[in-house]
Each structure stands twice: as structure tokens, then as C-alpha cells.
Amino acid sequence: MHALETVVNAVNGILWNNILIYLLVGVGIFFTFRLKFIQVRGFFSGMKMFFSGVSLKGEKAGKNGMSSFQAVATAIAGQVGTGNLAGPATAIILGGPGALFWIWVSSFLGMATIYAEAILAIHFKTKDRNGQVVGGPAYYIERGLGMKWLAVLFAVLIIMALGLIGNMVQSNSIVEAFSNSFNTPTWLMGLILASVTGLVIMGGIKNIAAVVEKLIPLMALFYLLGVVVILTINSAYLWDACRVIFVAAFDPEAVLGAGAGIAIQQAARFGIARGLFSNEAGMGSTPHAHAVAKDTAPEQQAFLAMMGVFIVCTIVTLTGFVIITSALKDWAALGNVVGQGNFLSIYQVKGIAVTQQAYQSVFGAFGGYFVSIALLCFAFSTIVGWYYYAETNVRYLFGSEVAIRIFQMMVVACIFIAAFFKVDLVWDMADMFNGLMVLPNILALILLSTIVVKITKAAQKK
């Protein structure tokens, strides 16, 4: 296990400290200017389309695809997971409160990137040998660039990154949360989660669309209610939270002290890494859902794709403020002053346990229960969404229902096994595979950017 940790950390060091931060920010800036700030110009249109399409009981999805709202709900299902509850905690503890600022930066730029992904996914979508509508980076890489080898590489990486390792992160966080709050045996929670997942994913696209279109609106409202209550109670520390976020983004020692050992590079590294893990812009995952939206113009679905990033960023931000304000409150209760030590040191835990501790500081034991239940909803929706993305690529590689069934069994097994993994290793492995799958997708986005601009201009002339 130690050897695996060493390899994973070495790869992450190369990817996240030297390549991906600049690449993801760079491509976001590239599309922001090339599309003339599409995330600003198309924001209100996207919001209007999103809320007008909200439904808890839409038409059934099938081989011809799903409704526009089901498509964006499936995309958000993949985006709204542990990255929204455990992700901010990990980023803030390792990168300081300034990491939240870099999550905002990556999300703003990511809205332009994900717009381009959705445009290409719809433009190059097709039907597989069984007549099912499919689309995503593997398809626009092969059909748009003619690079079959690169498409295959992406397909393999996303199957590992999301379908297997990524879903292990979701499972691991759920199991840890329920163990912390309810003392649920890890093996039992892992078994329950694996069993329920198996029932849903084996029902195919119809079951997946039906689950996410109901789960997403309800779980968002549930979590928002809890956040509003806790931030109202912590309202006296909201201004201090805003201050430490912006100061720590550029001068961590000013609010955490030199002993914290956190640098600007760390804040940016963990902020952007967790930003990617939560909003998935540039990663090549959400295009699989947007590609199968029925009777929707490419630019309209692309606007909805941007809303997914915005909604996810909002949830991440609220979670981050809960963590920071709770830490400030508890730090002050000990007679300390911000700027005279690392106020985040009150968290002696990692991962989802940080978020649970923040809620418990206000709600007591109920706070831990609340986070556990919220995480169960969020992470389960992500497991379902990520499975669908990976399945699309299994279809791309093999086109066989037998292969799909074998893959389903592998996913269920990984979800159960993840219950017994160390949380740090699982997150680090997810970072590694997420980073690797970004590379072929970003290359395709840049090389096909002319098509994105052409389709956008044509839509604006209508």
C-alpha cells in the first residue's frame, strides 16, 4: 500500500503542481475570451431555461435520449457529490481558506469550458450498434479529430477515473460519514450502498434519469435549508470569513500564521483541484449527459451546462462558509484572535469529518446526522451519474451488453471495497485519474474550438 501511495503522490505532484492548474485555467481563459465571456452573456438565459424545465416527473428516458432537464439533472448529479461536502473541507484544511477563492476562479472560467464541451458533445453525438443515442469526448475526439487512439485512451481513463476509482471516493465518504455519526459498521454500509447502486444501474438509462430528476431538486432544497440556518447562527463571523478567504488567497500567513506552512501555490493547487472535482469543467464527464438531450439546440443545452457549474459552485461556497465561520467561532470561543494562529487547527480530522465537525459545533450531534444524510443523497446521485458516463465509454469500447453487465459488477464491487480504504489514498487516486483524463479532453477542446465558435455565432444570428 505504501508503494501505491508513493506512486500516486508522485504523479499528482507532476500533474497538479506543474501541469493541470495552468492548463485548466488557461483553457478557461481561452474560451472565456474566444466566446466573448459567454458565461456572463448567457447566464440569465441559462437560469431561465433551468428553472422553467424543473420537473419531478418528466417523460421516460430511452434509447433516443432524455429530456433537457433530465440531461442537466444527470450532469449535476455527477457534479454534486462528495466534492461539495468533503471537497471544500479537504481544500480548506490543506490549502487554507484562500482555496475557496481559487474554487471560484476555476468555476467562473470552467463555465466557458463546459459550454464548449456541451456544444461539441451534441454536435458529434451518434447512435451505437444497439440504436442508443451516445456522445461525449471519445466521440468528438474520434469523429472531430479522427484520432481513434486518443479517443480510446480517454475512454479507458474515464472508466477508471469515474466508474471505478471516482465512485470509490463517493462510497468511502458515505461510509465514513455514517460511521462517524451513527457508528454504522463499514462493511454493512458498504454492502447496503453497493446493493442499492446495483439495483439502479442495472435498470439502464430509464432508471438513472428517473432517479436524478427527482433527487437533485429535493436534495438541493434539503441542504440549502440546513446551510441557511447555520450561517444565520454564525452570521457574526461572515465578514471575517470573507476577509480571510481573500487575504489567504494571496497571503496565507497573514491570517493563519507562519506556522501553518500554507503557501499561495498550495491554496491555488487544492482550490483548483477540488474545484475540478466538484464542477468537472474540462474533465470531459458532463458532456455524456448533455449529448443525449432530445430536441434541444446545442447552444441552449450548453447554457444549461453552465448552470450546472454555477449551482455546484454555490453549494461548495456555502459548505466552505459553514466550515470557515464555524472554525472562527470556535477559535474565538477559546480566546484567540484571527491572525494570531492557525484557526483551522481546531479541526483535528480529515475529509468529510471536517464538515461534520463544523455542523456539530452549531447543531451538536444532529449536525453530524444532517451531513451524513445530505452526503448520502449527494454522493449516491454522483455514483449514478458517474456510472452512466463510464457506461457510455464501455459502450464505445466494446458495444456489448455482456461487457456492460461485467462492468456493472465491477462498479458494485468497487463501491463495497472502498468502505475499507484509507480516505487520503482514495482521494489522491481520484485526483490522479481525474487529472489524466483531462489531458486528451483539453487537447480536443482546443483543436475543435473553431467549431464551438461557429455554432455559437450561428445561434446568435437566429
Side-chain angles (χ1 to χ4, degrees), residues 77 80-88 168-182 189 193 215 219 222-223 277 315 319 351-356 359 367-383 423 427:
V80 179
T82 57
N84 294 260
L85 297 181
M168 290 179 72
V169 168
Q170 310 300 324
S171 173
N172 184 276
S173 295
I174 293 174
V175 170
E176 182 189 5
F178 272 77
S179 177
N180 293 339
S181 297
F182 302 102
M189 197 62 207
L193 188 59
L215 190 57
M219 73 182 189
F222 170 74
Y223 187 68
F277 195 80
I315 296 173
T319 302
I352 191 62
V354 173
T355 307
Q356 287 182 302
Y359 274 79
Y369 304 151
F370 178 87
V371 173
S372 297
I373 295 171
L375 182 69
L376 175 62
C377 295
F378 278 40
F380 182 72
S381 72
T382 297
I383 287 172
V423 64
W427 274 99

Side-chain angles (χ1 to χ4, degrees), residues 71-211:
V72 73
T74 302
I76 295 175
Q79 294 165 301
V80 179
T82 57
N84 294 260
L85 297 181
T90 304
I92 290 168
I93 294 301
L94 297 178
L100 194 57
F101 171 83
W102 294 106
I103 288 177
W104 297 339
V105 171
S106 67
S107 296
F108 176 78
L109 298 175
M111 289 173 74
T113 304
I114 211 165
Y115 173 92
E117 288 180 295
I119 289 284
L120 292 175
I122 296 172
H123 183 70
F124 289 106
K125 69 180 179 180
T126 184
K127 290 187 176 183
D128 66 11
R129 67 184 64 178
N130 297 313
Q132 181 164 314
V133 174
V134 288
Y139 294 91
Y140 58 68
I141 290 173
E142 180 181 353
R143 303 183 73 205
L145 297 177
M147 297 182 180
K148 176 76 173 180
W149 66 271
L150 190 62
V152 170
L153 175 62
F154 175 86
V156 171
L157 288 173
I158 194 172
I159 289 170
M160 292 295 298
L162 301 188
L164 301 178
I165 304 299
N167 276 336
M168 290 179 72
V169 168
Q170 310 300 324
S171 173
N172 184 276
S173 295
I174 293 174
V175 170
E176 182 189 5
F178 272 77
S179 177
N180 293 339
S181 297
F182 302 102
N183 292 319
T184 307
T186 55
W187 69 267
L188 177 60
M189 197 62 207
L191 181 62
I192 293 172
L193 188 59
S195 299
V196 175
T197 299
L199 290 175
V200 173
I201 64 178
M202 289 182 184
I205 188 173
K206 183 174 73 172
N207 274 12
I208 292 171
V211 168

Side-chain angles (χ1 to χ4, degrees), residues 17-87:
N17 294 336
N18 300 297
I19 299 176
L20 291 179
I21 288 180
Y22 305 105
L23 186 62
L24 287 167
V25 171
V27 78
I29 293 173
F30 171 76
F31 278 111
T32 293
F33 283 97
R34 185 128 200 231
L35 297 171
K36 300 178 181 179
F37 286 83
I38 192 69
Q39 63 268 63
V40 177
R41 295 188 296 111
F43 182 80
F44 290 106
S45 294
M47 290 297 287
K48 182 179 179 181
M49 284 187 285
F50 178 81
F51 284 106
S52 64
V54 172
S55 170
L56 297 182
K57 189 173 178 58
E59 59 182 301
K60 292 184 177 180
K63 286 187 175 182
N64 292 324
M66 58 182 75
S67 71
S68 181
F69 178 73
Q70 287 172 336
V72 73
T74 302
I76 295 175
Q79 294 165 301
V80 179
T82 57
N84 294 260
L85 297 181

Side-chain angles (χ1 to χ4, degrees), residues 252-268:
E253 292 185 3
V255 293
L256 297 177
I262 294 174
I264 296 175
Q265 190 274 339
Q266 278 180 281

